[in-house]
Amino acid sequence: MNIKILYLLLFLSVFLFSCGVSYPKETLQQDAVKLIKKETGIETSVKLYGTTMYLDVLMDELATQNSEELKNVYKTLQKIVSTIVRVPISSDADIKIVVVSAFDGKYNVLLRLFENIDDIKLYSHQLISRTDYEQRQLMEIVGPGAAEKTVENKHEITDEEFVSRLSVSQLGLSAKNNPFLAAIISKLDLQYLLYKDGTVFVLMNSVDNSTVVELLKKNIKDEFEKNIKKYKTFDIKSAILYDKTGKLFAKLKFETAVEKTAGL
């Protein structure tokens, strides 16, 4: 996906539609569907759960092996995302997170893009750098078996859940300067499971090499602590990682939680 184009479209969306109420909360869901249809010609479904807005779109082309078709899919998703964020920006509804879910009819693949409205506003008003904004991007890819259940599992996404998902999603990108570590993280297939009572639960493939284990623990801990501080979600105190056999991989305690408890 051409991220430069997406950033530009998001910037223009905020600049042009930040004044006034164009999408009242009473008709927000219907208006959002009409807007996407008008701008892209695509039928979608929009649902609101608390401060989270979900947009679902059926795209059979996601399951294709044709590179040209995939390029067209990404271009369409760029336009959908840049269009749908106009709704919360110019609505009287309190929407913090927009989740765009694209999937094929057989649920072989699901691509989810999460947009934090405050992050878009900060970037569009040049209050955060482009690099910082890139580090706030959250994308998840779900395969067969879990895709349909993931689409159906709609709920209000808290700040803690967003930061937890973001940290897991960004781990691979944060290791891009270390090809060895990036390759390992890719093979681990880290997946956010749940946030409950201050603890994040993460699922992953197993790993046995003790040196790699310690390197991973540090990388995961650093990524979480960075985002906890950035979003001030200090209620996130720890993470528990299990491999896909149910075996405990690691328990991590975040220093930011200690700092808050100490009153620092």
Side-chain angles (χ1 to χ4, degrees):
M1 186 178 293
N2 191 326
I3 200 69
K4 293 181 180 179
I5 296 176
L6 180 57
Y7 290 162
L8 176 61
L9 291 173
L10 291 174
F11 176 85
L12 292 174
S13 296
V14 176
F15 180 78
L16 294 173
F17 296 94
S18 58
C19 299
V21 176
S22 301
Y23 306 100
K25 57 185 176 183
E26 292 81 9
T27 59
L28 182 145
Q29 295 176 81
Q30 304 94 300
D31 291 344
V33 171
K34 291 178 181 178
L35 176 65
I36 296 297
K37 177 67 174 179
K38 177 183 177 182
E39 297 289 334
T40 69
I42 294 176
E43 296 289 349
T44 58
S45 170
V46 174
K47 299 292 182 183
L48 193 61
Y49 289 77
T51 59
T52 305
M53 182 167 70
Y54 288 86
L55 181 148
D56 292 349
V57 54
L58 176 64
M59 304 183 79
D60 282 320
E61 298 86 351
L62 270 175
T64 184
Q65 299 296 319
N66 186 296
S67 60
E68 287 302 316
E69 287 186 10
L70 283 175
K71 286 181 182 179
N72 290 331
V73 168
Y74 293 149
K75 287 180 181 179
T76 301
L77 282 174
Q78 287 175 358
K79 191 166 186 179
I80 289 174
V81 171
S82 64
T83 301
I84 195 62
V85 297
R86 286 158 45 182
V87 175
I89 288 170
S90 53
S91 173
D92 55 349
D94 182 20
I95 300 173
K96 296 181 178 180
I97 303 292
V98 174
V99 183
V100 176
S101 299
F103 47 90
D104 68 293
K106 295 183 178 179
Y107 292 99
N108 288 314
V109 61
L110 163 64
L111 174 63
R112 297 216 298 176
L113 303 172
F114 295 68
E115 293 295 336
N116 186 306
I117 301 305
D118 284 341
D119 286 346
I120 293 174
K121 291 177 179 178
L122 288 171
Y123 178 66
S124 67
H125 291 103
Q126 300 182 0
L127 296 176
I128 59 175
S129 67
R130 176 176 169 178
T131 299
D132 191 2
Y133 184 68
E134 288 176 350
Q135 293 174 352
R136 297 168 185 248
Q137 294 303 288
L138 171 50
M139 180 176 71
E140 296 178 345
I141 299 176
V142 183
E148 184 173 6
K149 185 178 293 185
T150 302
V151 171
E152 294 174 350
N153 182 22
K154 292 180 172 64
H155 57 277
E156 183 174 24
I157 295 176
T158 64
D159 292 339
E160 288 76 18
E161 179 180 344
F162 177 81
V163 169
S164 299
R165 288 183 178 276
L166 176 66
S167 299
V168 173
S169 172
Q170 284 285 333
L171 276 167
L173 294 177
S174 66
K176 62 184 178 182
N177 293 326
N178 185 335
F180 172 70
L181 182 58
I184 292 173
I185 290 177
S186 177
K187 290 180 180 179
L188 287 177
D189 188 27
L190 290 157
Q191 299 173 25
Y192 165 87
L193 285 181
L194 177 69
Y195 170 79
K196 184 177 181 181
D197 299 331
T199 299
V200 183
F201 295 86
V202 179
L203 187 66
M204 54 179 282
N205 290 328
S206 60
V207 57
D208 298 321
N209 186 300
S210 59
T211 301
V212 172
V213 167
E214 292 307 312
L215 187 61
L216 284 171
K217 286 181 180 178
K218 182 182 184 305
N219 193 262
I220 293 169
K221 189 171 183 290
D222 289 348
E223 187 66 27
F224 268 91
E225 289 180 350
K226 179 188 73 176
N227 289 320
I228 290 170
K229 291 176 182 177
K230 182 180 293 185
Y231 287 92
K232 296 180 172 59
T233 52
F234 298 109
D235 286 337
I236 303 176
K237 300 177 176 63
S238 61
I240 298 178
L241 290 79
Y242 292 94
D243 69 23
K244 294 180 181 178
T245 67
K247 180 182 177 181
L248 176 67
F249 172 75
K251 290 184 178 181
L252 304 175
K253 187 174 183 180
F254 303 131
E255 297 301 323
T256 53
V258 176
E259 291 174 7
K260 183 186 178 187
T261 302
L264 299 178

